[in-house]
Amino acid sequence: MSGFQLPRYSARFLSWLLNDSGETGLGDFQEYYGIVAEESGPSTAAWKFRLQVLAMTPGRLAEKVRQSLVMLSNYLTLAVRHFRKERLASLINVFGLSIAIACCITVFLFLNGYMNMNAEHVNGDRTYLIEQVVNRDGTEEVYGQTPIPLGPALAADLAAVEQAIRVSGVSAMVYVDDQRSEMWVTFAEPGFMEVFSFPLAAGSGNPLREADNVILSAKEAKRLFGNEPAIGQELSIVLTNGRSISATVAGVAEPFATSAGVRFSVLMNLDRIADQTYSDWTADAGATFVMLRSGVSRGDVESALQRYVGVHNAADGENPVESFRLDNLQDPNPNAWAVRNRIIDSPHPVFILMLLAIPVFMLALSCFNYINISLGAASRRLREIGVRKVVGGSRSQLVFQFLGENLFLCFLSLLLGAAISFLVLIPLFNSVMVNQIVFVATDLGPLLLFLLGLLAVVGLLSGSYPAFYVTSFQPVQVLRQRIRLGRRSWLTSSLLTAQFSLAFLTVIISLYLTLNGRYMQSQEWGYDADGVVTVRVTSDEEAAVVSGAAGQRANVVSISNSVDHLGVATGRARVRIRGEEEDTWRFAVGANYLETMGLPLAAGRGFNDDYIADAGQSVLVNEAFVRKQGWEEPLEETLRIDGTDRSVVGVVSDFLVYPMQSDLPVVFTRAAESEVRFITMRVVGVDPREVISVLRSSWKESFPERPFDALIQTEVFDANFQSYGNVVQAFSFLAGLALAIACLGLFGLASQNIAQQLKDVSIRKVLGASVASLIVIVNRRFLSMLIIAAVIATVVTIAGFTALTSLPPWEIRHLQLGPGLFAMAYALVLATAGLAVGSQARHLVRSDPSVVLRSD
Amino acid sequence: MKLLTRSEEYVLLAVWRLQDEAYSLALMHELSKATGQDWSLGSIYTPLERLGKRGLLTSYQTKPTAKRGGRPRRVYQLTAMGRKELLHTRKVENSMWSGITNLTLAGVTS
C-alpha cells in the first residue's frame, strides 16, 4: 500500500480544490498516482501528481471565485430581506453600533493628527528642537526653551547647522479696527518660513523679512476678515506689558494639515519683541529650532552642542544646565511629553490610552448589546435554520449567511457612524477642546483603511457568537421547539446593570452641571455692575484723553483708573503676613475705584487721595482674606507687599472675583499712575453704550490709528458662561449617549426575555391576567436591575462629591447635592428605560394566545 | 444551440468510444493517445462538467476499489442529446470541409 502515500500538501490542496461530494475526483488522482508509481517509481509519481494538481489549479480557482460571488449576492439578498423583516431590531442595532463607530472614527482622526504631526514639513527629518536638561535636586528635568544667544551662536559656529531659528509666543490682544480678539502671537526669525513648509495662500516671498509684516493662519484670516482679502489689512497687537505694535498682513498660510505640530495663528518677526536681546545667556527664547545640513549626523551635532553648556553656566550660575539635546520634529523623543514648556505640544501616553479606552469601551458595549438583540431576533428564525439544515444546508453555509447579514448591518452602521462623527462628534469636540480635529485629503487613505479594519473587527466580534450559537442546534430539536434561546446568565444581568449605573452617573453629573451653571449665573456679584463702563488704555496720554472726555459728561458720576479690573484682569501678589509668605489675588486700583464699582466696605475706609500714605503704606483686604487669616481685628493688622509694610485700612465686602471660584482672598493696593491699564466710570441715566460711542469719537480724534476698546461690566463673564455652557453641552451629550446605549442593551434583553416567556404569558392571558400585570411580571427583573444601578450611581456620586469637596483647596463655587437632583435623574432614566421596554411590550399585548399555544 | 468546442467534441467522442470504461483516467489516456498531446486531469474535468451541465452527459458511480483509496469511480455516458450534438457537429464540420480540395502543404516551408 506504500504506493498510495500521496504527497501530503498537494493532496490536501487537491481535496480543497475538487470539493466533490462523491470523492470520485480524489479517486482518480489516487489511481493515477498508483499507475505511475508502478510504472516509474514513487518519486516520479509524486512529481507527476503535483504537476497534475498544478495544471488544474487556475480553472478550479476561477470557478471557486465565481461560486462564492454567487453565494455572496445570495447572502446579501437574505440580509436585506432580514433587515426589512426585523426593522426595529435592525435599526436599533445599526444605531448602537454607529454611535460606537462614530467614537472610534473621531478618536482615530484625533490620534492620526498626532501621529502625522509635522509630516508636511519637507525638512522635518533634519529639523530639531533644542531642549535643555536641568538637574533639579537630583531629578532630571527637560525644558523646551533655550538661552536666547544659543541659536545665533550655533548658526555661526557649527558648519553642520544650516539654519538656527528662535521662536517665541505670547498671548496678546489683536485689534482689527476696534474689534478685539485675544490670540496667541508667534514671533520668529525670518528663517522660520524656510525651515518649515508653510505655503502661502496669499502673499509672496518671505513676508517675515519685513519687520512690520504679519502672516495669518487661514483660520484666523477667515475669522478676522471673513471673505475679504486679508493682505494689506492693518492690525494692532497689544502685548500684556501694554506695548502696542502695529502691523500689516502680508501673508496668509494655507490651511494646516493637522492642529498639532508647529502651528501659528499670527506670525511676526522676532525683532518686534525688544526683550529678546541677543547676548543674554540668562534669558530664554521660547524655542530654538535647528535645521541640519543633509547628511550630517545628529550625534555629532548633539555632542558639539555640549560646549555651550559651559558658556551658559558661566553666565547663569544659579540655574546650571546639564546638557542640551536634540528632539526631531517628526520623530520626537519617546519622553517628549515630559518636556516642560515644549513649544510643540506632545500628548501624555496616559492621555492617549484614556482616549483609546473610550471607543474600545463603547465598541465592546454596543457589540454586547448587539449580540443580545440578535439572539432575540434569531429566536424567531430557528425554524428557518432547522429547515435549512434538514434539506442539507451545511453549518458553514448558515454561519456565513448570518455573518453576511451581520456584515451588512455593520456596513450600514459604518456609514451612519461616519455621518455622526463628521456632523456631530467632531464639531462638538472642536467646540470644547483646544486641539482641533482637522480632516484633510491625506487623511482619507488611512481613514478608509481604518474603517475597513473596523468593519472586519466589529463584524466578527458582534456576529460570531450569534452565528455560531444559533446554527449549532440540532434540527430535530429546533423543529420540535425544544430549544429555548438565551439564559438568564448573571453576566448579562450584571453587564446591563453596569451600563445603567454608568447612564445614571452621567445623567446625574450633567444635571448637576446644568443646575450648577444656573446657580453660578444667578449668584450675587457683590457690587453694582449696572452702568459700569471700562475703557482699556495703554499709555498715560490715552488715559488722560478718556478721563477728560468722560469727565465732561454729566451722566458719568464717577471715574477711576486701575491696573487690574474686576472680572477682566486679576493680578497676583506675594504677601508676607507675620513672617509667612503666601500668594493672593490683587487689584491695583485708583483712589475711588471702590466707589465707581459700587463695592461696599464692611469695615474701615477706602483709599483716599488726601492720605499721602495710601500710595505705599495702605492696603485693603476682602472678607474672605480676613476669614482665611482668622483675624479678629483686621484694621490693626499689617501686611508686607512689594517690599513695603502696609497697614490694613479697610475691609471690602465679599464680591465675585470669578463666577466659578469662591472665597478667594483678595488685596487692593493703590495703583501707580504710570501703569494704568483701565479707566472705569459709572454711568447713570443713559444707556452705557451711548457713553461708549461718545468716548470712541473723542478717542478717534486724538488717536485715529489706535484701537478703542470699551467693555460693559455686566457682560464681562459672558465668555466664561459661554465656555461653561459648552462643557455642559458636551457632557449632556455624553450622558445622552450613555443612556441611549444602556437602553439599547435593555431593549435587546427585553426582546429575548419576551421571546422566552411568550408561552408562559399566553397561558396567563388565557387564564385572564390583565396586560398591565403581565408587563410587570415579564419585566420584573429589569426593574430590580435598574434599582441596583440607581443605588450604585447614587453612592458613587455622593462619595465622589464628598471626596472632591473635602480636598483642602476647594475654591470651585458649587451647588450642594440635593434630593431633587437625584429624583430628576431617576425619573429621566426610568422614563427612557420604560420607553425601551414598552416598545417590546407591544409584542406581549398583540400576541394571540391561541396562535402561540396551538403549535405545542 | 451553441456549437461544441474542439475539446468538448473530443471528450464526447472518447466517452462514446470507451462506453462502460469511460471514466476520467481512461478518457485522459485515450485522448492523449489519439491527439498525441498530454491531457491533464484538470483539462478533462472542465469539459466533462460543462457537458454534464448542458445535459449532454450523465454519469454514475461504481463500487469503491482499493486501487482508488476506497473511492468510487465516476463513469460517464452520452445522453440522447449528446449523441445528437455530436452528429450535428460532424455535419457542420463536413459542410465546412466540403469542396475544399486544393489545400495542400505545397509552398509551406516548415
Side-chain angles (χ1 to χ4, degrees), chain A residues 444-506:
Chain A
L444 194 63
L447 180 68
L448 286 182
L449 268 182
F450 173 74
L451 289 184
L452 211 64
L454 203 62
L455 184 67
V457 169
V458 173
L460 290 178
L461 213 64
S462 59
S464 306
Y465 179 68
F468 283 98
Y469 179 63
V470 164
T471 56
S472 68
F473 300 123
Q474 295 292 322
V476 174
Q477 301 208 323
V478 168
L479 294 177
R480 286 201 60 204
Q481 304 204 320
R482 284 283 165 82
I483 298 287
R484 282 296 174 90
L485 255 185
R487 251 153 273 139
R488 300 183 169 194
S489 87
W490 68 261
L491 183 72
T492 13
S493 303
S494 45
L495 269 173
L496 194 67
T497 311
Q499 287 188 37
F500 266 98
S501 308
L502 202 68
F504 268 116
L505 197 65
T506 48

Side-chain angles (χ1 to χ4, degrees), chain A residues 15 70 248 287 341 347 353 384 402 417 427 479 489 563 659 714:
Chain A
S15 72
V70 170
T248 315
N341 306 332
L353 278 182
E384 173 193 336
F402 275 93
L479 294 177
S489 87
V563 176
T714 47

Side-chain angles (χ1 to χ4, degrees), chain A residues 4 18 22-32 52 55-56 60 63, chain B residues 23-25 28 40-42 45 49 61 66-69 71-74:
Chain A
F4 288 124
L18 283 171
E23 298 199 314
T24 52
L26 279 176
D28 288 341
F29 275 82
Q30 185 100 54
E31 191 182 339
Y32 173 80
Q52 285 286 357
M56 202 168 89
R60 283 279 146 182
E63 177 63 15
Chain B
Y23 79 102
S24 50
L25 272 183
M28 178 172 86
S40 72
L41 274 169
Y45 285 146
E49 269 170 27
Q61 293 184 19
K67 201 167 68 168
R68 295 172 61 84
R71 296 187 181 91
R73 180 183 270 190
R74 185 171 292 279

Side-chain angles (χ1 to χ4, degrees), chain B:
Chain B
M1 189 130 190
K2 222 177 98 189
L3 282 179
L4 293 175
T5 65
R6 186 48 65 82
S7 62
E8 283 168 352
E9 182 189 346
Y10 287 178
V11 167
L12 284 180
L13 283 171
V15 167
W16 181 252
R17 212 179 270 253
L18 291 171
Q19 290 296 331
D20 285 349
E21 283 297 306
Y23 79 102
S24 50
L25 272 183
L27 287 169
M28 178 172 86
H29 195 241
E30 179 72 20
L31 282 167
S32 302
K33 203 174 71 189
T35 59
Q37 282 176 355
D38 269 346
W39 288 61
S40 72
L41 274 169
S43 60
I44 306 267
Y45 285 146
T46 314
L48 278 176
E49 269 170 27
R50 213 182 305 146
L51 291 167
K53 250 182 226 167
R54 277 174 70 176
L56 308 185
L57 284 177
T58 60
S59 65
Y60 63 90
Q61 293 184 19
T62 62
K63 288 230 163 65
T65 60
K67 201 167 68 168
R68 295 172 61 84
R71 296 187 181 91
R73 180 183 270 190
R74 185 171 292 279
V75 177
Y76 293 87
Q77 286 179 318
L78 253 65
T79 60
M81 229 159 76
R83 278 186 276 174
K84 215 174 105 187
E85 199 60 30
L86 259 185
L87 289 171
H88 176 68
T89 308
R90 183 172 183 183
K91 219 172 90 190
V92 171
E93 245 161 68
N94 284 342
S95 73
M96 285 300 289
W97 279 99
S98 70
I100 296 181
T101 51
N102 54 353
L103 182 69
T104 67
L105 279 176
V108 178
T109 53
S110 55

